């Protein structure tokens, strides 16, 4: 048994058997860093795998809050401060009923390498709560955010751990979380990003993940002599990432024809009406079924059950597919449907949206594959630009941020390509991204001693 297999076995023994998402993320990284481990025996000497795959600190806290009927509600809150070798912990906060320690551990683990890949000085973390923001009043959202922050504010700080947005956490929630931190500490420190502009947020942060995803995909396609212009694209999700991916796809001349939410999928053969989509999902926070009632060219396909992964998005013929909703939403069945329609590129906007079987099938069929760690890194990269603007008090115009984002996404692609060349590998963006991220973190850990 070699060093990688030994580390994997030990991880299986020391972690919960139910940590299936974490093991999926772990396995993907460990399998792909083999060329790096062969070229750098010093990593084994420093036992670097075992040190990287264990979180520095995992905080589990209770959140008690009062609903609008003065009923006492209790939720579980978490923050996984996984690795801070490259800089202070950084990563989003997710509010969704499915949140559990396994999901946050996989997200925090992925975040370490994603953040390293950006080339910026941030460590990896993730947090959240099993709270369902749906059908809650604005006051209940505020109460919950305040209770969440009160429960663990003393574990974060502008140089320690900086929170951000994720599923169920946008500008509204970030505003309340920030307000409560200020109330408790009397400080306006930059302890959270994706803030509303009035509270020191950055222009371009709302758009950054979706725009960055399209910039990365364009860079990859240009390198292959291809373009998105005039191409049919399918997108899953209809939140922050999906909406801004659709917006940028239109700028490139592509035709985005789908979006989805937890209840169903829209196929609009004339192209998604972005203004209508924003009105329904961002203003009304309503279900996508209303899109079809207001737009004749659209078909609404309802999901059978909340957990049903047959989203129908992948059945629509397309050139490029962008999973932008949640983990493991693109399975083997979905890939088979995409392949039957001759898909050319799959670029991940969500974190770990493709199952291992789905990725294997895409790779077997030589479909261009842009992995989440690289393709959706634009969001956290602009979060760092927000932190730097907060610290310098010098705020930048939208164009400057957007150009920096383009530059960062282009550089990520170039760095991954170089890694593949260094290890005599064919261009494999998944393995290249894992090697690049792992190496940067491992080197920083070794420099800091045990
Ligand atoms: P939002 O909360 O804005 O939107 C999430 C979207 O995904 C909604 O349309 C939601 O549907 C849908 N969704 C969530 N869970 C499920 C599910 N189990 N099945 C089907 N649909 C689901 O989140 P974001 O757009 O910010 O995040 C989307 C993904 O992108 C996540 O994986 C996140 O981790 C990742 N990401 C986000 C970044 C950011 O900057 N925000 C940065 C990098 C990655 P509904 O409206 O019905 O709830
Ligand atoms: O997964 C992610 O990269 C995010 N949710 C963004 C994190 C952040 O801190 O901006």
């Amino acid at each position: 048994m070699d060093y990688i297999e030994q580390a994997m076995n030990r991880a299986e023994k020391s972690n919960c058997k139910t940590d299936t998402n974490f093991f999926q993320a772990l396995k993907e990284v460990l399998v792909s860093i083999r060329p790096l481990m062969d070229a750098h025996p010093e990593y084994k000497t420093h036992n670097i795998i075992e040190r990287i795959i264990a979180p520095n600190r995992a905080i589990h806290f209770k959140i008690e809050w009062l609903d609008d009927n003065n009923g006492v509600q209790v939720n579980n809150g978490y923050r996984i401060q996984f690795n801070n070798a490259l800089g202070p912990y950084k990563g989003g906060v997710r509010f969704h009923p499915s949140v559990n320690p396994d999901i946050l551990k996989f997200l925090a683990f992925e975040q370490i390498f994603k953040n390293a890949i950006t080339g910026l000085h941030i460590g990896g973390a993730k947090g959240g709560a099993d709270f369902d923001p749906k059908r809650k009043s604005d006051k209940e959202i505020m109460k919950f955010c305040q209770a969440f922050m009160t429960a663990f504010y003393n574990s974060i700080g502008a140089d320690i751990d900086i929170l951000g947005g994720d599923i169920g956490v946008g500008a509204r929630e970030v505003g309340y979380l920030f307000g409560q931190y200020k109330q408790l500490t009397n400080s306006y420190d930059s302890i959270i990003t994706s803030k509303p502009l009035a509270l020191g947020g950055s222009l371009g942060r709302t758009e950054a993940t979706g725009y960055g995803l399209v910039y990365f995909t364009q860079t990859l396609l240009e390198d292959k002599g291809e373009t998105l212009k005039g191409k049919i694209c399918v997108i899953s999700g209809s939140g922050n990432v999906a909406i801004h991916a659709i917006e940028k796809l239109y700028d490139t001349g592509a035709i985005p024809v789908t979006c989805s939410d937890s209840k169903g999928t829209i196929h609009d053969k004339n192209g998604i009406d972005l203004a209508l989509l924003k009105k329904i999902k961002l203003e009304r926070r309503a279900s996508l079924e209303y899109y079809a009632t207001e737009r004749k060219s659209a078909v609404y396909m309802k999901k059978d059950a909340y957990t049903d992964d047959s989203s129908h998005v992948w059945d629509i013929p397309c050139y490029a597919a962008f999973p932008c909703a949640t983990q493991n939403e693109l399975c083997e069945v979905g890939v088979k449907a995409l392949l039957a329609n001759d898909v050319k590129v799959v670029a991940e906007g969500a974190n770990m949206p493709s199952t291992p079987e789905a990725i294997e099938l895409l790779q077997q069929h030589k479909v261009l594959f842009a992995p989440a760690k690289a393709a959706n890194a634009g969001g956290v990269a602009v979060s760092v630009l927000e932190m730097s603007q907060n610290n310098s008090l010098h705020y930048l115009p939208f164009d400057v941020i957007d150009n920096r984002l383009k530059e960062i996404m282009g550089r990520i692609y170039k760095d991954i390509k170089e890694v593949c060349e260094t290890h005599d590998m064919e261009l494999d963006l998944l393995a290249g991204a894992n090697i690049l991220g792992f190496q940067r973190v491992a080197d920083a850990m070794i420099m800091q001693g045990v």
Side-chain angles (χ1 to χ4, degrees):
M1 209 190 303
D2 73 2
Y3 176 47
I4 293 181
E5 284 159 351
Q6 277 169 11
M8 191 77 200
N9 279 352
R10 274 201 294 270
E12 266 169 17
K13 283 201 188 101
S14 64
N15 282 280
C16 296
K17 288 271 175 287
T18 49
D19 285 352
T20 51
N21 287 284
F22 175 62
F23 278 113
Q24 183 182 331
L26 183 65
K27 203 166 168 193
E28 181 209 286
V29 170
L30 293 190
V31 166
S32 57
I33 59 167
R34 200 170 285 283
L36 178 74
M37 301 309 288
D38 290 345
H40 291 271
E42 73 274 17
Y43 290 153
K44 184 177 174 190
T45 316
H46 288 276
N47 197 8
I48 209 70
I49 295 183
E50 262 195 273
R51 293 168 60 197
I52 281 191
I53 67 178
N56 289 356
R57 184 176 297 123
I59 310 163
H60 181 173
F61 46 95
K62 182 176 63 167
I63 306 156
E64 298 176 332
W65 57 284
L66 285 181
D67 65 22
D68 285 348
N69 301 317
N70 279 330
V72 181
Q73 300 290 334
V74 184
N75 286 96
N76 290 290
Y78 309 91
R79 184 73 177 167
I80 316 290
Q81 298 177 332
F82 216 119
N83 189 294
N84 62 351
L86 285 171
Y89 301 110
K90 176 80 191 96
V93 171
R94 177 177 289 193
F95 291 164
H96 194 271
S98 65
V99 161
N100 62 35
D102 171 40
I103 288 182
L104 290 180
K105 212 161 142 192
F106 112 70
L107 287 165
F109 184 69
E110 294 279 289
Q111 198 81 41
I112 306 170
F113 306 110
K114 180 197 307 192
N115 292 0
I117 287 167
T118 64
L120 300 165
H121 284 279
I122 37 174
K126 201 86 182 189
D130 55 4
F131 168 76
D132 188 356
K134 291 212 174 85
R135 291 169 297 279
K136 298 288 189 299
S137 71
D138 196 58
K139 189 172 158 214
E140 287 176 324
I141 298 283
M142 182 181 80
K143 289 277 179 210
F144 178 78
C145 290
Q146 290 173 340
F148 180 89
M149 185 53 85
T150 303
F152 90 121
Y153 74 98
N154 50 9
S155 299
I156 63 173
D159 298 320
I160 301 169
D161 184 359
I162 305 99
L163 316 180
D166 197 78
I167 292 180
V169 177
R172 173 180 62 164
E173 291 74 21
V174 167
Y176 292 143
L177 291 166
F178 182 67
Q180 184 67 1
Y181 184 85
K182 194 194 73 174
Q183 186 68 21
L184 293 164
T185 62
N186 200 29
S187 114
Y188 216 88
D189 282 353
S190 186
I191 50 85
I192 190 162
T193 56
S194 285
K195 292 184 286 294
L197 292 182
L199 306 183
S202 173
L203 286 165
R205 174 61 189 91
T206 310
E207 296 84 353
T209 313
Y211 280 21
L213 171 67
V214 177
Y215 294 148
F216 190 84
T217 310
Q218 273 181 309
T219 311
L220 162 64
L221 289 174
E222 272 163 25
D223 200 29
K224 304 279 170 195
E226 299 281 345
T227 155
L228 283 167
K229 199 169 168 33
K231 305 283 176 32
I232 302 287
C233 298
V234 298
I235 297 94
S236 65
S238 53
N240 173 278
V241 180
I243 286 176
H244 296 102
I246 291 172
E247 186 163 276
K248 188 47 71 179
L249 282 168
Y250 273 125
D251 287 351
T252 68
I255 308 156
V257 295
T258 68
C259 59
S260 66
D261 64 14
S262 49
K263 304 259 166 46
T265 295
I266 288 289
H267 177 210
D268 190 337
K269 59 180 183 338
N270 289 354
I272 294 293
D273 179 337
L274 194 58
L276 180 59
L277 177 62
K278 284 187 179 179
K279 195 162 83 182
I280 290 169
K281 293 312 286 189
L282 301 181
E283 282 172 35
R284 293 194 213 151
R285 297 178 192 267
S287 158
L288 273 181
E289 64 189 297
Y290 296 105
Y291 181 103
T293 59
E294 293 190 32
R295 184 123 155 129
K296 292 274 168 299
S297 53
V299 178
Y300 179 67
M301 292 164 278
K302 200 172 170 5
K303 274 191 192 178
D304 300 333
Y306 185 78
T307 49
D308 184 3
D309 61 7
S310 59
S311 81
H312 304 292
V313 171
W314 323 119
D315 300 337
I316 310 297
C318 67
Y319 172 87
F322 298 89
C324 295
T326 193
Q327 61 275 359
N328 291 325
E329 54 166 320
L330 175 56
C331 310
E332 220 176 340
V333 183
V335 172
K336 282 183 180 156
L338 288 169
L339 290 170
N341 289 316
D342 207 19
V343 69
K344 289 286 182 276
V345 52
V346 172
E348 298 185 320
N351 284 309
M352 203 171 77
S354 317
T355 64
E357 297 77 22
I359 297 174
E360 201 181 327
L361 205 52
L362 289 168
Q363 290 181 329
Q364 269 170 18
H365 287 81
K366 306 271 181 230
V367 174
L368 296 173
F369 180 68
K373 280 187 201 85
N376 76 25
V380 75
V382 174
S383 281
V384 176
L385 301 184
E386 178 174 333
M387 287 153 61
S388 117
Q389 292 171 88
N390 295 155
N391 293 334
S392 66
L393 298 180
H394 176 62
Y395 285 84
L396 301 168
F398 180 88
D399 285 0
V400 173
I401 300 283
D402 194 37
N403 282 330
R404 290 277 292 279
L405 172 64
K406 246 181 245 168
E407 234 172 70
I408 291 170
M409 299 316 291
R411 187 162 36 76
I412 292 175
Y413 182 75
K414 193 171 138 280
D415 288 351
I416 296 177
K417 205 174 158 181
E418 266 173 34
V419 162
C420 293
E421 283 160 11
T422 306
H423 294 282
D424 284 328
M425 294 156 39
E426 269 183 52
L427 183 66
D428 175 344
L429 294 176
L430 181 69
N434 284 332
I435 292 174
L436 178 65
F438 190 96
Q439 182 161 22
R440 284 184 178 159
V441 179
D443 289 347
M445 286 175 77
I446 290 171
M447 282 173 213
Q448 291 172 57
V450 182

